[in-house]
Amino acid sequence: MKLTKQEWQDLNNRLVMALRPLTNPVAIKMIDSPEGFEEYGDLKMATNPSTGCQIIGIAAHFHMTIGIKPEKFLTTYCGANCGCCERDEEWHDGVLLANPPYPWHGNQDASRAHMESYLDTLPEKPYAGMVASPLDDNDIAEPDCISVQIQASGAFHLLAGLIEADFQYLEFPFRGESQCVDTWMRTIKTGKPGLSLGCRGDRALGNLQSGEVRVTLTCEQFVKAIEGVENLINRGVDYPYFAPIMLPDNV
């Protein structure tokens, strides 16, 4: 979906008015070749080692369009899980999640199984990088997906809005670190919504706050969810709670 900057801003404002997240949603674009960065005139590039979630957090909180190239990812682990670095032997062997500084599993077999579960979501060929832009002044006309950092109660209403007029049963994977695979990488690869409860990386570097979650949607799903939330509000299902004074007399 390709929209003008004003149209993206209008969608941003509608979401903010309805669900009052503390930060603006962020548009994400995966870059296919090094030349792909050139179409963004006011693009800041990561100069220090960073993570994918950190780039999204910077875009949201510091109101800038920012990009990152494979060599600027903090670790190969992060870069590979964001689809921008080659998956090396250590990644496939699972040692990265069994040894310090990320000993999430007490044995390498569990760590290896964890990493292998990512293979159906990650691209076969690494991207040349990624760009993130705040939706209220979006420089990405045609994003690959939208990331919404929002309190858990707001995420409930947002997803309820997504299925308001077109019900579907939503399921979300949980694989622990790293939640980038279960959110924007999942949405980009499969077209399905993503939900992160907030892994350690996203909270430490992406600035996901206590009580917040990350929801990722395709552009079409994002528009559909906002329309659904507005429909709910118009029918009296207000966010964040029912206001008794506005309920019908017979309730």
Side-chain angles (χ1 to χ4, degrees):
M1 176 181 288
K2 187 175 184 179
L3 299 177
T4 66
K5 181 172 287 195
Q6 184 61 55
E7 288 171 328
W8 283 121
Q9 187 178 69
D10 290 343
L11 286 168
N12 176 87
N13 294 343
R14 288 166 64 187
L15 176 70
V16 170
M17 286 295 294
L19 299 180
R20 301 186 286 284
L22 299 178
T23 59
N24 291 303
V26 172
I28 299 173
K29 185 72 175 182
M30 307 308 294
I31 306 300
D32 292 322
S33 68
E35 294 74 25
F37 290 103
E38 296 175 2
E39 67 177 270
Y40 304 101
D42 193 24
L43 178 65
K44 307 290 192 302
M45 294 301 298
T47 55
N48 294 319
S50 306
T51 65
C53 54
Q54 188 173 10
I55 294 302
I56 296 171
I58 289 172
H61 289 271
F62 294 99
H63 199 79
M64 66 173 67
T65 299
I66 183 168
I68 184 171
K69 295 181 178 180
E71 63 269 20
K72 288 302 180 181
F73 276 92
L74 183 63
T75 64
T76 302
Y77 170 76
C78 175
N81 291 347
C82 288
C84 295
C85 291
E86 295 283 354
R87 298 182 286 274
D88 57 18
E89 185 176 348
E90 282 192 335
W91 191 95
H92 286 284
D93 284 348
V95 296
L96 295 173
L97 290 182
N99 295 332
Y102 312 113
W104 285 101
H105 300 290
N107 62 80
Q108 192 172 337
D109 287 342
S111 178
R112 184 184 298 111
H114 184 156
M115 302 309 294
E116 288 178 350
S117 76
Y118 290 162
L119 292 174
D120 62 348
T121 304
L122 296 175
E124 294 182 9
K125 178 183 177 182
Y127 292 104
M130 62 181 287
V131 173
S133 185
L135 210 63
D136 65 324
D137 190 24
N138 183 25
D139 289 324
I140 305 173
E142 195 170 5
D144 289 326
C145 76
I146 307 297
S147 171
V148 183
Q149 179 177 331
I150 193 169
Q151 55 273 31
S153 57
F156 179 93
H157 277 251
L158 182 65
L159 292 171
L162 178 63
I163 62 174
E164 178 267 337
D166 181 21
F167 179 79
Q168 56 183 300
Y169 178 63
L170 300 180
E171 291 183 298
F172 301 99
F174 177 83
R175 288 177 276 201
E177 294 284 341
S178 290
Q179 292 284 277
C180 49
V181 182
D182 286 340
T183 51
W184 68 89
M185 296 310 300
R186 163 184 161 94
T187 300
I188 292 170
K189 180 68 175 289
T190 69
K192 296 179 180 179
L195 173 66
S196 168
L197 301 178
C199 64
R200 188 179 187 187
D202 207 354
R203 296 205 182 275
L205 297 168
N207 204 28
L208 196 67
Q209 299 297 299
S210 177
E212 289 184 331
V213 298
R214 187 177 303 284
V215 176
T216 54
L217 302 165
T218 66
C219 298
E220 292 78 8
Q221 289 166 345
F222 182 70
V223 173
K224 189 175 183 180
I226 293 174
E227 291 174 347
V229 168
E230 291 172 340
N231 289 339
L232 290 170
I233 292 173
N234 289 336
R235 294 201 299 271
V237 187
D238 301 275
Y239 176 80
Y241 55 84
F242 279 109
I245 194 171
M246 298 175 66
L247 290 177
D249 293 337
N250 61 348
V251 173

